[in-house]
Amino acid sequence: MEGMTYLAVAYFGMIVAVGIWTYTVVQRSRHLSQRMDALETAVKVYSNDSNEE
């Protein structure tokens, strides 16, 4: 019975670890997407300024 408890705790820990990892990956992806959007906006603004001169 002791082995089953160990396996249950290990399995639960694995599920929690995968959940934390997934959350981290999603947050990094959102942050990267926001940075890319800001860069695209900056490039468009710079491009428009260069065309006006």
Side-chain angles (χ1 to χ4, degrees), residues 5-42:
T5 303
Y6 173 77
L7 287 176
V9 170
Y11 187 68
F12 181 73
M14 247 187 346
I15 291 172
V16 169
V18 168
I20 291 170
W21 178 81
T22 302
Y23 175 79
T24 302
V25 169
V26 169
Q27 292 301 337
R28 286 182 182 176
S29 175
R30 288 180 182 166
H31 186 246
L32 182 59
S33 179
Q34 290 172 348
R35 290 178 61 188
M36 288 175 62
D37 290 342
L39 181 60
E40 287 175 358
T41 302

